[in-house]
Amino acid sequence: MAYPGYGGYGGPMQGMQLQGMPMQGGPMGGPPQAGYPQNGGGYPGTFSAPPQQPLNDPMWGYFTTIAGQDGEIDAEELQRCLTQTGISGTYNPFSLETCRIMIAMLDRDMTGKLGFNEFKELFAALSSWKQNFMMFDQDRSGTVEPHEMTQSISAMGYRISPQALNAVIKRYSKAGRIYFDDYVACAVKLRALTESFRRRDQMQQGAVNFQYDDFILCTMSI
């Protein structure tokens, strides 16, 4: 069945190829058209796929410059690393809070840090979200308007009600506009919460039962 709200998880827009990042799954790099990912929801370089050696990977240089001896980066280190990579382009650098929720989105071992494979996965998602944002920020003001935000969320593959869209836009807009940093924060939370919901919706019916503590864990960890 079609899964309400089951989006493309920030994958590349259809027909877009990231350098060094082969597209997988369905449109926008999301899951296959038939439903959930066939490999159990694994991500490139984590869980379902064996770790890949970062030989000759240009992103390895950015990562190792910032990462500590444990080979992982926390939110402050991620903020510096993303600034060095220039992923935000002409837009303002990512805030520390946005970097925290980026880590929470992919921090499956709950260490509060990202390893290299998780960092690469995050970078691929950020590149896609930036492409999506730029499609609507045609005047390069670094912002999009509420109706453009609605179109952008739809372009990412999410199907949510007008009431939910209105709540999202109110949460992430400033003076009636959505800045790139807030846009990414919104995309991160949509992906993370949808993924948490999907894991519990084993029958793919668009409805689950939550225990209170589980609900708090899902929502407060992002």
Side-chain angles (χ1 to χ4, degrees):
M1 63 170 290
Y3 189 85
Y6 185 57
Y9 295 91
M13 301 295 289
Q14 187 169 5
M16 186 184 77
Q17 181 93 9
L18 294 176
Q19 185 174 6
M21 293 284 183
M23 291 182 64
Q24 300 177 354
M28 301 169 58
Q33 295 273 18
Y36 294 135
Q38 299 303 309
N39 62 0
Y43 292 85
T46 62
F47 289 169
S48 297
Q52 298 181 3
Q53 295 297 323
L55 299 177
N56 301 320
D57 191 327
M59 296 186 65
W60 179 247
Y62 291 119
F63 184 83
T64 54
T65 300
I66 301 297
Q69 293 183 348
D70 59 357
E72 295 185 319
I73 55 176
D74 59 21
E76 292 183 354
E77 292 168 335
L78 176 62
Q79 186 183 41
R80 295 201 303 273
C81 191
L82 291 176
T83 300
Q84 287 188 11
T85 64
I87 182 66
S88 58
T90 59
Y91 302 130
N92 290 331
F94 295 112
S95 67
L96 184 59
E97 179 58 27
T98 297
C99 289
R100 287 193 181 105
I101 66 171
M102 288 180 193
I103 288 179
M105 176 181 71
L106 296 173
D107 182 24
R108 302 180 184 97
D109 55 3
M110 305 295 285
T111 63
K113 296 182 178 182
L114 295 182
F116 178 62
N117 287 327
E118 295 165 326
F119 173 73
K120 284 189 67 174
E121 183 182 346
L122 172 62
F123 198 89
L126 287 174
S127 298
S128 302
W129 289 329
K130 181 181 176 182
Q131 287 280 350
N132 197 7
F133 186 86
M134 291 176 66
M135 285 177 57
F136 298 97
D137 179 25
Q138 296 184 358
D139 61 357
R140 296 300 180 263
S141 65
T143 65
V144 294
E145 297 180 6
H147 72 279
E148 294 171 327
M149 184 67 169
T150 298
Q151 295 170 4
S152 176
I153 290 173
S154 177
M156 283 190 280
Y158 296 102
R159 300 187 299 279
I160 56 180
S161 69
Q163 293 84 356
L165 279 170
N166 187 50
V168 167
I169 289 170
K170 285 184 177 180
R171 167 64 178 83
Y172 290 100
S173 64
K174 297 175 182 174
R177 301 189 71 86
I178 298 92
Y179 289 79
F180 182 57
D181 181 71
D182 291 317
Y183 173 87
V184 169
C186 175
V188 167
K189 186 158 287 191
L190 277 172
R191 168 175 163 161
L193 292 178
T194 301
E195 177 65 12
S196 291
F197 188 94
R198 183 191 70 86
R199 287 196 302 267
R200 291 161 177 81
D201 184 18
Q202 297 180 358
M203 300 300 293
Q204 302 185 27
Q205 295 178 336
V208 296
N209 291 320
F210 276 90
Q211 296 291 330
Y212 174 69
D213 191 66
D214 193 29
F215 173 77
I216 294 297
L217 176 63
C218 290
T219 56
M220 296 297 289
S221 62
I222 299 298

